């Protein structure tokens, strides 16, 4: 089993537990160059809000899209957009099988500071 397969296996387990809760989920994906966050509706798997370092306005403000500072900016941005879209403040955090440290933890902490609860 390689690293990607193991991560996807962990993600499947987490998503099964989140599906039982029937709440929106905050999904995080990180690549070598960017970090992405989406809030997905619980019932029909529809994206309600998204934010990423690949967006033009974020790229102008942040030099490197793959560090903790970028993750903090995306966490704050996703929380603000969720409030503006009327998404409930309670969401489930789907880390997509990544370990909860570094960029993933920074994004989660920033989203909590922005008003999301998970």
């Amino acid at each position: 089993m390689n690293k990607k397969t193991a991560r996807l296996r962990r993600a499947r387990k987490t998503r099964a537990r989140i599906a039982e809760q029937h709440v929106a989920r905050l999904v995080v994906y990180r690549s070598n160059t960017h970090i992405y966050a989406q809030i997905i509706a619980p019932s029909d798997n529809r994206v309600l809000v998204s934010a990423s370092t690949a967006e033009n306005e974020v790229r102008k403000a942040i030099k490197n899209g793959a560090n903790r500072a970028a993750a903090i900016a995306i966490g704050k941005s996703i929380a603000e957009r969720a409030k503006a879209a009327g998404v409930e403040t309670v969401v489930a955090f789907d880390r997509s099988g990544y370990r909860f440290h570094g960029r993933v933890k920074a994004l989660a902490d920033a989203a909590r500071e922005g008003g999301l609860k998970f």
Side-chain angles (χ1 to χ4, degrees):
M1 182 180 308
N2 61 16
K3 286 175 78 170
K4 184 177 180 182
T5 307
R7 181 186 68 81
L8 293 175
R9 182 171 164 250
R10 287 190 303 269
R12 235 186 354 261
K13 288 180 180 181
T14 304
R15 289 180 182 140
R17 274 185 258 129
I18 290 172
E20 294 173 355
Q21 297 176 2
H22 300 292
V23 295
R25 60 188 171 115
L26 172 60
V27 180
V28 174
Y29 175 74
R30 62 181 176 91
S31 69
N32 287 337
T33 54
H34 295 290
I35 190 158
Y36 306 84
Q38 298 176 333
I39 295 183
I40 298 178
S43 58
D44 53 357
N45 289 333
R46 187 171 39 97
V47 175
L48 302 174
V49 181
S50 67
S52 74
T53 55
E55 298 170 353
N56 286 333
E57 60 272 3
V58 176
R59 289 178 86 172
K60 292 176 185 173
I62 296 173
K63 282 183 133 180
N64 185 359
N67 59 15
R68 292 176 108 180
I72 291 170
I74 295 303
K76 290 178 182 176
S77 176
I78 196 80
E80 290 171 6
R81 292 178 186 186
K83 283 183 181 178
V87 176
E88 304 133 10
T89 57
V90 177
V91 296
F93 187 65
D94 182 359
R95 55 190 173 83
S96 299
Y98 299 115
R99 291 176 55 197
F100 190 77
H101 74 106
R103 291 188 281 164
V104 175
K105 185 176 188 290
L107 189 142
D109 291 342
R112 282 189 186 111
E113 289 175 10
L116 292 177
K117 294 179 185 168
F118 49 88

